Amino acid sequence: MHTDTHLFTPDYDVADLDYAAALRADSQPLDQSVRDQAAHWVQRVRDNASDEGPVASLLQEYNLSSEEGVALLCIAECILRIPDSATVDSLLQSKLSGLDWRAHSGRAESWFVNASTAALLVTGKIVTPNPKGAWNSLVQRVGEPVVRVMVRKAVAVLGGQFVYGRDIKAALKSAKKEICSFDMLGEAAMTDADAQRYLRSYHDALDALCTQPDQPLHQKQGLSIKLSALHPRFNPHQKDRLDVELYPRVQGLVIKAAQHNVPLCIDAEETERLLLQLDVLAKLAHDPAITPSWEGLGLAIQAYHKGAQQTVDFVADLARDSGRRLLPRLVKGAYWDAEVKRAQTLGLDSYPVFTRKADTDLNYLICARKMMEARAVMHPCFATHNALTVAAIAALGSDGYEFQRLHGMGESLYAIAKPKVGVRVYAPVGPHRDLLAYLVRRLLENGANSSFVHQIADDDIPVGAICQDPLNDTSRAMHAPHDLFGARTNSLGFDLDRAPHLARVQAAKVPAVTTVDTSASEARAALDRAHGAFGSWNEAGFETRSQILLAAADLLESHTAEAMQLLADEGGRVLADGLSEVREAVDFLRYYAMQAATMGAVKVLPGPTGEDNHYWVEGKGVFLAIAPWNFPLAIFLGQVSAALVSGNTVLAKPAEATPRTGLWAVGLLHQAGVPHDVLQCLPGEGPVIGDALLGDSRIAGVAFTGSTATAKRINIQLAQRDGPIATLIAETGGINAMVVDSSALPEQVTRDVIAGAFQSAGQRCSALRVLCLQEDIADAQIEMLTGAMQELRIGQASDPATDVGPMIDAKAAGGIRQYLSAIDANGAQRLAETPLGVFGDDPRYVAPQMWRLADNAMPDREVFGPVLHIVTYQSNQLQATIERINDLGFALTAGIHTRSDLRQAQFARSIHAGNVYVNRNQIGAVVGSQPFGGHGLSGTGPKAGGPLYLTRFIQERTQSTDTTAAGGNAALMAGG
Ligand code: NAD
């Protein structure tokens, strides 16, 4: 094995079940003595329940499946950062009302749990309208300010328990009897300023740790660092920057730790960052500037990864190659929910992590055995609170390693087990305001209920069940990540952060397509053919057409990489955008195919005896599908496939800027079995084709997506023609807003605003245009956004490192620049701008930027580019702000970031928007999950990718037959 990360390919793509089977084959059953030992410890921990630490008792009392437990942690997550009373009150009211705090009162053995419960019991009842009025009179007596103070106090107590010390000095003071690895963390760095701040806090911590008396390494307090805290862009596509900017920061810390013989561990992160971590570790291990005899360099390895065993081998080989003894820490894994969600969101065919807890436990033991065997070159640290794991490891050896546990957890287990080796405590250090939020969120994300800490304290679970050999576990693995939608296969994706996946995309060629603009007479001739083809296509039936769409979906899916190249080449779509667009197109094809399959059946309707009633649907005739350039594949194919599967013939007009994509997609549909006259592609100028066709009464309907102005023009042209009234489905623009109150987490807001406003260079109809910030937090939020905007990378669409590519053409970019000059002349203030660098000379590029209009005004039109407007509001003006947004007349997407359920509900109820997003970004609607489309000036509906879309493409028929004339109702006559 090599320690070159280019040659390191973890087993992530091995199918989940295959991997689990291999794992079982590699595992040995646990000895009876190990299981007996663990069972004995578990029983003793239970017998001494009152000795359990406060954090464990709290988790036990408020287990995360109880509403009270979740409410308590949600309050703890945010209350300390909220500056204003109105937001605190809204939060408390929404989290505490209606919950049963009394059920938890006095039940736990820990004073701390009872004290917290008492505070919440009082406050919970205060805000709960109580029919008997007793508590209402209490709230009148003590008043809201007292309630706020009490809850803050309760959370501060909670913070004191979760957090080891507010700073390193306090932490060192409390660590007199324990050996710790201090974790100085809050959130991941979003800006360079954040990264510099974290770097300083790591240095400060090390300076304090360096003053420890000279002792053997394993008796010294150590530090854990997170690489994503030291650089705001710790992701694989920014490797060139990381080599230059991140490595020296880490190196400086490690040199210091080595000089003073302080252990330093690189903490675990998400899968896509593993190779970057190994790369840094390999450089450090070989770095001659780092004291060669120092043996304190560590890396956390997560056993829930399919790549964990290979990572252990990598670290052992690295230690051998570099001649440096290493200090790796084996953990179960900290990002399980996030890993599973990411794999599902990307539509991957396997998970990088195990989905059965027992598999992780098995892998942990295999990794542990490997590490114990490599003790000549490493000193393994085993972080676990699982009695069975502790017993199994203790049976492997009695020296040359150490155990680790989290602060507040596993205390009594280790006190009882008394292992022969040391037990180090992983201890979070930092101000409660930042750290508590982070720790609590991780707890909520990782649902602590299935964890050993939780089970050990739950007397209802028999000791034997807890100490069962994981080899005997029979629980089922989770369905594959792309199997989300039951019978409808989810579109398959790539993980562009993984080299083998990216290589497949980069190896694909842009398909060669040549297009010629369609003339008016050619368009009319196409209409003749489409009209002629309607009858037989409509007769072919829903089932046949649905099968053709499914075949087209498979065909497109097998050409995903080429389609991405075409989208980058013609439409300037960066690779990630291209990938999600191809997947959306595949989803549309399958979604409409599945719907059509059930829609086509003739339905028998009830009626009086002697009468047969039938209902069925069929196509309307010829549809004209007109698509925009910003989703030249997904929207184009969505319109076309919905019209086709319903029985219509289609004239498909791609946008002027993206004819090749349209023609290529039509070619795929022909290949899948759609006859050529049934679907014809008409690239060319919109008005030329529109004028040629819209006045013709044989056009039964138009499916249009584009600007509001064009939709109006088409509507008028259709209205003015003779003949039947045509169907018009128009999806148009929006001025989309997001509201952020003071309970929101600034880092999450930053991530979502940057994606919403600047992904695809702001050229999405759903993109965020107006960010409405509560005044109390506006300055800090703007500062963080400004910092994050400096980190965005401008580049070519086909370069995987690019965050923001070009605009569709120089004309569109020029339009944005004109708008900016106009608002500038009107007194608007530019708050921030991403540097364009070498792309400043290219007229197609516009820098992502953030503006505040004069007088805190809203923009008066849709600005279709990377321009974000900031508006501020006072905390009591939420409703007024919603109304200001509604007054714009559009109703496409809207978002809110708040921890208050009441405000979420108020927003969703009163904002005018087809798609509302809470605590997330507002782009990237998924077919069948977030049916997409607006109303008002934003469109007619029905929503694309939703249950009613096809209904606009069909006409309904019924037939009612009097059967008495033909012998009547035989059954009735026979019965009567
Ligand atoms: P656009 O209105 O300029 O063009 C859209 C399509 O209409 C193009 O194919 C164009 O050739 C065609 N067209 C133009 N004039 C025509 C005419 N007289 N007759 C027939 N066809 C004509 O819009 P665009 O600039 O391509 O797209 C950006 C706009 O689309 C933005 O306003 C955006 O918000 C909107 N959009 C909306 C959605 C949605 O789902 N609501 C999705 C994507 C884009």
Side-chain angles (χ1 to χ4, degrees):
M1 172 135 170
H2 291 266
T3 51
D4 179 348
T5 47
H6 296 294
L7 302 172
F8 182 74
T9 45
D11 282 338
Y12 300 148
D13 288 328
V14 177
D16 298 316
L17 284 176
D18 293 351
Y19 201 102
L23 202 58
R24 270 146 211 272
D26 285 349
S27 299
Q28 298 157 9
L30 288 174
D31 284 349
Q32 185 62 40
S33 59
V34 166
R35 281 186 287 134
D36 290 347
Q37 175 69 87
H40 174 67
W41 289 339
V42 169
Q43 194 52 56
R44 289 201 45 206
V45 169
R46 284 185 172 177
D47 293 345
N48 298 313
S50 56
D51 294 348
E52 194 51 290
V55 174
S57 328
L58 189 88
L59 290 179
Q60 172 56 18
E61 177 57 35
Y62 291 106
N63 86 50
L64 289 182
S65 57
S66 86
E67 285 181 80
E68 292 80 23
V70 172
L72 173 59
L73 291 179
C74 288
I75 293 170
E77 193 271 331
C78 64
I79 196 166
L80 298 179
R81 67 172 171 262
I82 305 178
D84 59 299
S85 316
T87 305
V88 171
D89 290 347
S90 175
L91 173 81
L92 293 182
Q93 206 179 340
S94 64
K95 295 292 177 203
L96 297 180
S97 304
L99 299 182
D100 189 7
W101 298 99
R102 238 174 323 186
H104 300 273
S105 167
R107 251 187 15 190
E109 312 225 5
S110 149
W111 65 269
F112 164 67
V113 175
N114 282 324
S116 318
T117 307
L120 292 163
L121 178 63
V122 172
T123 49
K125 289 302 169 188
I126 287 171
V127 293
T128 308
N130 184 310
K132 294 197 186 120
W135 291 101
N136 282 345
S137 66
L138 180 61
V139 78
Q140 276 163 11
R141 263 207 329 270
V142 297
E144 280 180 342
V146 176
V147 177
R148 286 195 293 271
V149 170
M150 287 173 77
V151 177
R152 273 187 202 273
K153 278 255 155 65
V155 171
V157 175
L158 190 68
Q161 300 299 329
F162 270 84
V163 177
Y164 203 82
R166 284 173 186 271
D167 56 33
I168 188 71
K169 292 213 172 71
L172 274 170
K173 224 184 236 165
S174 26
K176 288 236 165 62
K177 279 188 266 153
E178 291 174 321
I179 300 174
C180 298
S181 185
F182 295 113
D183 162 31
M184 312 297 300
L185 207 67
E187 310 295 332
M190 303 300 290
T191 67
D192 192 51
D194 290 343
Q196 298 292 353
R197 192 161 40 83
Y198 285 126
L199 180 63
R200 261 195 314 280
S201 87
Y202 284 151
H203 271 294
D204 290 348
L206 267 182
D207 290 341
L209 292 171
C210 289
T211 62
Q212 295 175 77
D214 195 19
Q215 287 182 70
L217 184 81
H218 306 301
Q219 281 152 35
K220 288 185 92 170
Q221 311 287 359
L223 184 68
S224 291
I225 65 168
K226 199 161 242 177
L227 299 184
S228 60
L230 291 173
H231 199 284
R233 299 305 308 273
F234 188 59
N235 79 47
H237 301 304
Q238 310 298 329
K239 175 106 180 18
D240 52 347
R241 278 187 69 184
L242 296 172
D243 288 343
V244 182
E245 296 166 17
L246 171 69
Y247 187 73
R249 294 177 192 175
V250 186
Q251 187 194 35
L253 290 166
V254 175
I255 289 175
K256 194 183 270 184
Q259 277 167 353
H260 295 89
N261 199 29
V262 170
L264 183 142
C265 183
I266 297 177
D267 243 330
E269 308 235 12
E270 295 88 344
T271 301
E272 65 270 22
R273 293 172 159 164
L274 176 64
L275 266 66
L276 287 176
Q277 290 186 300
L278 293 181
D279 195 64
V280 170
L281 184 78
K283 270 200 205 131
L284 290 169
H286 287 285
D287 194 329
I290 297 166
T291 318
S293 57
W294 177 61
E295 299 181 350
L297 179 60
L299 171 80
I301 300 171
Q302 311 193 83
Y304 69 5
H305 265 156
K306 286 180 187 162
Q309 294 180 35
Q310 289 158 296
T311 308
V312 171
D313 293 340
F314 181 95
V315 171
D317 285 345
L318 177 64
R320 281 182 208 108
D321 282 4
S322 63
R324 188 189 289 283
R325 198 153 188 268
L326 296 172
L327 185 62
R329 170 199 297 160
L330 184 64
V331 303
K332 296 253 157 117
Y335 299 87
W336 191 83
D337 277 27
E339 296 284 1
V340 168
K341 183 171 185 191
R342 181 171 184 275
Q344 291 182 344
T345 308
L346 291 178
L348 303 181
D349 53 10
S350 63
Y351 294 101
V353 296
F354 302 113
T355 59
R356 272 185 302 205
K357 179 96 186 25
D359 291 339
T360 298
D361 290 344
L362 290 174
N363 205 34
Y364 191 97
L365 288 178
I366 295 177
C367 289
R369 216 169 288 131
K370 274 176 179 283
M371 290 166 85
M372 290 294 273
E373 282 161 13
R375 270 176 294 174
V377 292
M378 62 169 69
H379 181 90
C381 310
F382 298 110
T384 177
H385 307 119
N386 183 319
L388 204 56
T389 312
V390 174
I393 289 170
L396 292 177
S398 54
D399 58 9
Y401 68 97
E402 70 181 39
F403 283 112
Q404 294 194 0
R405 65 174 184 82
L406 283 173
H407 164 58
M409 297 197 194
E411 235 166 312
S412 49
L413 170 65
Y414 281 107
I416 287 164
K418 294 195 184 59
K420 294 205 174 65
V421 296
V423 181
R424 190 181 286 272
V425 177
Y426 183 84
V429 178
H432 292 178
R433 194 193 117 120
D434 302 337
L435 205 47
L436 191 59
Y438 175 78
L439 294 170
V440 163
R441 228 179 23 263
R442 302 301 301 283
L443 257 183
L444 285 169
E445 280 164 11
N446 285 299
N449 283 349
S450 66
S451 79
F452 193 86
V453 174
H454 208 269
Q455 293 182 350
I456 197 169
D458 186 347
D459 288 335
D460 292 341
I461 305 176
V463 173
I466 299 184
C467 298
Q468 195 202 151
D469 190 332
L471 256 185
N472 298 332
D473 180 273
T474 52
S475 58
R476 286 161 62 112
M478 222 168 185
H479 55 67
H482 68 275
D483 263 358
L484 273 187
F485 298 109
R488 174 167 64 87
T489 314
N490 189 8
S491 52
L492 198 62
F494 292 116
D495 184 348
L496 298 176
D497 288 336
R498 263 188 238 168
H501 289 222
L502 182 62
R504 264 184 274 164
V505 173
Q506 288 182 318
K509 299 264 171 303
V510 180
V513 185
T514 39
T515 65
V516 185
D517 275 7
T518 315
S519 67
S521 61
E522 285 164 340
R524 281 190 289 271
L527 175 56
D528 292 342
R529 287 193 294 276
H531 185 65
F534 171 65
S536 58
W537 181 244
N538 193 32
E539 292 276 297
F542 281 81
E543 181 55 36
T544 306
R545 295 190 295 261
S546 160
Q547 289 303 327
I548 294 177
L549 250 57
L550 291 176
D554 294 348
L555 199 60
L556 176 57
E557 194 171 56
S558 67
H559 288 88
T560 300
E562 284 125 289
M564 287 165 68
Q565 293 293 354
L566 180 56
L567 288 166
D569 186 60
E570 187 182 44
R573 310 277 281 144
V574 299
L575 293 182
D577 283 347
L579 176 57
S580 60
E581 173 153 14
V582 181
R583 293 190 57 217
E584 186 181 2
V586 171
D587 286 337
F588 273 135
L589 289 164
R590 293 198 178 124
Y591 184 82
Y592 296 139
M594 303 277 292
Q595 279 194 335
T598 53
M599 199 173 206
V602 176
K603 293 164 185 72
V604 177
L605 302 181
T609 187
E611 182 178 284
D612 271 356
N613 295 306
H614 290 133
Y615 170 94
W616 73 100
V617 298
E618 61 185 23
K620 287 178 186 252
V622 182
F623 254 81
L624 177 57
I626 304 175
W629 47 264
N630 69 331
F631 281 93
L633 187 71
I635 291 183
F636 181 81
L637 274 183
Q639 297 172 336
V640 166
S641 60
L644 282 177
V645 82
S646 306
N648 306 286
T649 53
V650 179
L651 300 174
K653 201 208 88 59
E656 288 85 339
T658 52
R660 284 190 281 140
T661 305
L663 211 61
W664 181 79
V666 165
L668 278 189
L669 284 178
H670 287 157
Q671 217 179 314
V674 179
H676 285 247
D677 285 354
V678 167
L679 170 62
Q680 300 171 72
C681 188
L682 310 182
E685 292 291 319
V688 172
I689 291 168
D691 291 349
L693 300 176
L694 291 169
D696 194 309
S697 62
R698 290 174 298 171
I699 295 285
V702 177
F704 169 82
T705 306
S707 63
T708 310
T710 309
K712 282 188 177 158
R713 178 178 163 156
I714 291 173
N715 194 25
I716 290 169
Q717 276 182 291
L718 288 174
Q720 282 171 344
R721 70 178 200 181
D722 278 338
I725 293 174
T727 300
L728 173 61
I729 306 157
E731 297 296 329
T732 55
I735 304 184
N736 312 308
M738 174 187 276
V739 172
V740 174
D741 81 3
S742 63
S743 66
L745 185 76
E747 285 81 0
Q748 281 178 345
V749 173
T750 301
R751 181 195 65 200
D752 293 343
V753 167
I754 295 282
F758 304 130
Q759 201 170 315
S760 316
Q763 302 171 107
R764 286 175 179 247
C765 54
S766 53
L768 170 62
R769 310 290 178 202
V770 193
L771 177 62
C772 306
L773 297 171
Q774 188 181 318
E775 268 168 16
D776 309 78
I777 46 97
D779 289 347
Q781 188 64 65
I782 289 170
E783 190 183 325
M784 191 178 279
L785 283 167
T786 304
M789 286 171 66
Q790 307 314 305
E791 302 299 324
L792 285 173
R793 196 147 167 172
I794 311 289
Q796 310 273 11
S798 57
D799 178 351
T802 298
D803 297 307
V804 181
M807 298 210 43
I808 186 68
D809 52 32
K811 187 166 160 246
I816 302 291
R817 281 191 281 271
Q818 251 174 15
Y819 169 79
L820 295 172
S821 319
I823 58 172
D824 195 21
N826 276 333
Q829 183 195 359
R830 192 196 313 253
L831 300 171
E833 186 179 19
T834 303
L836 276 182
V838 293
F839 295 93
D841 294 336
D842 187 328
R844 293 172 310 147
Y845 282 80
V846 172
Q849 45 203 291
M850 185 158 67
W851 286 77
R852 195 180 163 104
L853 298 179
D855 304 324
N856 199 28
M858 295 268 177
D860 58 3
R861 64 178 176 93
E862 182 190 40
V863 182
F864 210 62
V867 180
L868 177 66
H869 303 83
I870 299 286
V871 165
T872 55
Y873 71 95
Q874 285 171 1
S875 69
N876 60 1
Q877 293 174 328
L878 176 62
Q879 191 59 34
T881 306
I882 293 173
E883 275 150 28
R884 285 187 71 194
I885 300 167
N886 288 346
D887 286 346
L888 297 170
F890 290 91
L892 196 52
T893 71
I896 185 164
H897 262 273
T898 173
R899 296 292 194 251
S900 158
D901 308 57
L902 290 175
R903 288 185 176 171
Q904 290 171 10
Q906 178 189 359
F907 185 77
R909 211 173 39 240
S910 38
I911 193 79
H912 294 175
N915 289 59
V916 174
Y917 297 91
V918 179
N919 292 338
R920 53 155 286 178
N921 71 43
Q922 60 205 89
I923 57 171
V926 173
V927 174
S929 290
Q930 293 104 21
F932 187 77
H935 46 271
L937 290 175
S938 296
T940 59
K943 283 171 173 290
L948 301 181
Y949 192 60
L950 291 190
T951 60
R952 288 287 279 160
F953 291 87
I954 44 144
Q955 59 199 15
E956 299 172 280
R957 303 281 303 271
T958 64
Q959 178 179 326
S960 188
T961 308
D962 182 347
T963 54
T964 52
N969 183 335
L972 187 69
M973 307 245 276

